[in-house]
């Protein structure tokens, strides 16, 4: 049997089950945005790792080396943010063809350095190897106070489902590049901004019960929260925050802008759940601090109701990670 | 300019210099077997990462999936051992072609699990992506008591240069595979044994001043110690411990067996320096504990003497990472 026949999630589940444990304390292993390990006093250590392959995860024809460096680290910083934590040390493995220019490497590290500085990340090690295409692996450490750790699994029935910033911008950027629409904004696709400050504030509030970052798309992330929390959820399509850019690009290419938000991914916003009586206080708090706005999308329901979405016309559909099921 | 024109070490040096620091404490960054970071009380955290690419670092035609899994983790465990530390948590990123069989993946993790169990390593996370060839990245954490940390940079003039076990076995295994010599031992090449217990004992003795593991070959490792310690060294070729297997294989294919030890690499033994008046005590200690034997190869000298080797005929040559310079 080939791995494409069983799919990525089944493969990961299969591997996780097979892995032995030495009995050492792993607070959270595979199945959240990062692993959570014992650390120092009240602090926990967070660890996340991502592999990015040329022509699978990025193209050197549409992204500059600086942007590739920035985005690789940004995706990992976002995983730390989704736990309520702050990034600390990064370890960068890079595979490069022998015909790579020194200029490419310099620019790649310059982009990575730029975001590392911005988020106080120290690049403390790595590996450099020869490979047929550009391959990047980042292992990023972080830390969080144990009282502020937010997992995917903490959502409770009645909690509000919320999100930082706006969604779909990364997909819009990709469409701009693919359709060569030169007059629109590609920053959300090429130089995404992880929400570390927002994640820390949300976690410290004590009102946030679960959190995840938007790497695969809003639909996938809400399904992850519900699966891990053993709940369902119900959201309103019209509440999903979209930028002007997303509306314009989707209009030009004739696609539904909400699909960019639900299935596009790589927005690196935070999706989280909040105790229902604290939604307004949370909005006010985030507003006062000058951070990304937060928007309420719906609420957590019983598990047997799965994940539902009310579309613009008022029709209720079941929402899976990859699409709509109209038979609800 | 292409990266092949400036070489791997120049590239790493170039990148290291370009990397910014946030001012957070990095006790040891790029330039030793692992990074060393602050941790918990008297303990320091060690972090190492390695990327392995199919047909660059391993071949699926000569190694089984179990062996590939074992060896990938073994190489990283060996880096932790070289600091006097013990491995704790591993994070495995794997890139797989869509046509990979589930059987390959199961066997890969089975080999990795086998060595993880043996060395009490918990596999606590990772990433799984699609790629044109098999790509493995391991990030391994470890810990060491701060009094037992051994760096490459601690060698002093007069110290003995020593090594655990015997050398050249990995290269012999590779030659066996390439020449299809079926009657000899390939274990040292395919399932190497990192020297964690030995590393801990050596570090705790208080007599060991520097240490490194044999990943690139004895010549390269001694040059690393000397460069970092700002010393030279002088070793005797006839003192280099070789197994019967290395002698037989080199004899069959008509090569110098000492070249296997000096330039073959991947033996994952520990090369270290020891205070000169403690060599016998150290040998006795290692003997008593039932670990790998340790052998004295020579001694540390002034920096201006660089690294020298006396060959079997008594001729003294300069020893670089990649070969001999006969003009000494």
């Amino acid at each position: 049997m080939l791995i494409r026949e069983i799919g990525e999630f089944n493969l990961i589940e299969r591997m996780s089950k097979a892995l032995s444990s030495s009995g050492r304390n792993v607070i959270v292993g595979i199945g959240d945005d990062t692993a959570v390990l014992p650390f120092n006093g009240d602090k926990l250590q967070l660890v996340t790792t991502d592999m990015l392959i040329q022509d699978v995860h990025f193209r050197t024809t549409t992204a500059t080396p600086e942007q590739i460096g920035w985005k690789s680290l940004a995706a990992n910083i976002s995983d730390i943010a989704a736990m309520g934590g702050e990034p600390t040390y990064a370890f960068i493995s890079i595979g490069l063809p022998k015909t790579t220019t020194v200029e490419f490497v310099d620019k790649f590290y310059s982009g990575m350095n730029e975001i590392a500085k911005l988020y106080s990340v120290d690049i403390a090690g790595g590996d450099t190897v020869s490979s047929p295409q550009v391959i990047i692996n980042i292992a990023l450490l972080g830390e969080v106070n144990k009282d502020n750790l937010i997992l995917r699994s903490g959502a409770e029935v009645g909690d509000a489902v919320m999100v930082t910033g706006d969604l779909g911008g990364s997909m819009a950027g990709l469409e701009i590049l693919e359709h060569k629409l030169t007059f629109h904004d590609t920053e959300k696709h090429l130089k995404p901004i992880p929400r570390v400050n927002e994640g820390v504030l949300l976690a410290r509030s004590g009102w946030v019960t679960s959190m995840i970052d938007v790497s695969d798309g809003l639909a996938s992330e809400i399904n992850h929260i519900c699966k891990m929390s053993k709940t369902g959820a119900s959201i309103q399509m019209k509440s999903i925050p979209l930028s002007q850019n997303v509306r314009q690009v989707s209009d030009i290419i004739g696609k539904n802008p909400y699909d960019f938000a639900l299935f596009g991914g790589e927005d690196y916003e935070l999706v989280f759940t909040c105790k229902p009586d604290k939604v307004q206080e949370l909005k006010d708090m985030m507003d006062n601090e000058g951070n990304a706005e937060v928007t309420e999308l719906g609420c957590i329901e019983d598990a047997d109701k799965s994940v539902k979405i009310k579309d613009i016309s008022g029709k209720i559909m079941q929402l899976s990670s990859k699409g709509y099921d109209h038979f609800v």
Side-chain angles (χ1 to χ4, degrees), chain A:
Chain A
M1 193 165 54
L2 305 183
I3 58 169
R4 68 173 173 219
E5 297 171 64
I6 71 168
E8 186 191 345
F9 288 109
N10 286 326
L11 187 67
I12 293 171
E13 208 160 293
R14 192 181 176 96
M15 292 176 334
S16 315
K17 278 181 193 156
L19 294 175
S20 67
S21 161
S22 74
R24 191 177 289 113
N25 188 5
V26 177
I27 299 165
V28 177
I30 295 160
D32 214 303
D33 289 277
T34 77
V36 184
L37 306 174
F39 194 35
N40 192 337
D42 282 345
K43 286 191 174 171
L44 301 172
Q45 186 161 57
L46 307 173
V47 188
T48 182
T49 188
D50 269 336
M51 182 178 274
L52 300 111
I53 318 270
Q54 182 179 355
D55 296 329
V56 178
H57 300 95
F58 60 88
R59 292 183 198 284
T60 53
T61 46
T62 52
T64 66
E66 288 95 336
Q67 289 163 342
I68 296 167
W70 173 290
K71 190 171 175 178
S72 308
L73 189 51
N76 285 277
I77 292 174
S78 181
D79 282 324
I80 300 283
M83 310 299 281
E86 292 173 275
T88 52
Y89 302 97
F91 298 85
I92 316 299
S93 302
I94 185 160
L96 295 167
K98 288 194 200 314
T99 54
T100 307
T101 62
V102 174
E103 192 191 7
F104 177 93
V105 179
D106 284 349
K107 287 184 172 173
F108 170 83
Y109 278 96
S110 151
M112 191 169 274
N113 253 330
E114 192 187 345
I115 187 168
K117 259 191 188 166
L118 210 57
Y119 288 85
S120 300
V121 172
D122 281 283
I123 300 176
D127 193 18
T128 310
V129 301
S130 173
S131 65
Q133 69 281 76
V134 180
I135 302 165
I136 301 154
N137 192 91
I138 296 187
L140 181 64
L141 309 186
E143 50 188 59
V144 63
N145 215 290
K146 71 174 186 233
D147 296 331
N148 298 334
L149 176 70
I150 310 285
L151 304 180
R152 294 178 181 180
S153 55
E156 289 181 17
V157 175
D159 287 351
V161 177
M162 305 183 72
V163 68
T164 62
D166 53 63
L167 296 171
S170 178
M171 181 74 182
L174 186 62
E175 296 282 3
I176 288 168
L177 293 171
E178 292 193 346
H179 291 81
K180 301 194 167 59
L181 311 177
T182 51
F183 54 100
H184 287 285
D185 179 18
T186 57
E187 285 285 298
K188 267 218 108 167
H189 181 64
L190 295 172
K191 287 189 76 179
I193 302 289
R195 299 298 193 184
V196 174
N197 289 339
E198 287 82 354
V200 168
L201 282 171
L202 292 170
R204 283 188 192 154
S205 73
W207 307 325
V208 169
T209 53
S210 71
M211 190 149 63
I212 188 170
D213 77 319
V214 181
S215 50
D216 294 328
L218 179 61
S220 177
E221 315 317 345
I222 292 180
N223 272 281
H224 279 307
I225 282 183
C226 287
K227 190 181 173 193
M228 296 303 288
S229 300
K230 300 185 174 66
T231 66
S234 175
I235 67 164
Q236 329 289 325
M237 194 178 273
K238 70 166 193 272
S239 303
I240 298 173
L242 302 177
S243 69
Q244 194 55 26
N245 188 44
V246 170
R247 292 183 189 277
Q248 285 180 337
V249 171
S250 61
D251 195 42
I252 291 170
I253 63 170
K255 288 193 180 168
N256 178 355
Y258 293 103
D259 285 358
F260 286 19
L262 287 162
F263 312 113
E266 297 197 346
D267 284 320
Y268 303 114
E269 298 292 348
L270 298 174
V271 177
F272 58 96
T273 54
C274 175
K275 291 178 182 169
D277 56 338
K278 297 296 181 185
V279 172
Q280 195 51 52
E281 274 178 89
L282 194 81
K283 283 183 179 176
D284 294 344
M285 178 192 80
M286 295 304 281
D287 208 27
N288 286 340
E289 298 275 347
N291 293 295
E293 263 187 271
V294 295
T295 307
E296 191 175 354
L297 306 175
C299 69
I300 294 295
E301 298 190 334
D302 286 339
D304 58 0
K305 295 185 179 152
S306 72
V307 180
K308 292 178 303 183
I309 187 164
K310 187 193 274 188
D311 79 1
I312 302 300
S313 70
K315 195 166 76 175
I316 292 171
M317 295 174 292
Q318 194 165 323
L319 182 68
S320 77
S321 294
K322 299 287 171 206
Y324 312 102
D325 293 321
H326 291 264
F327 49 81
V328 176

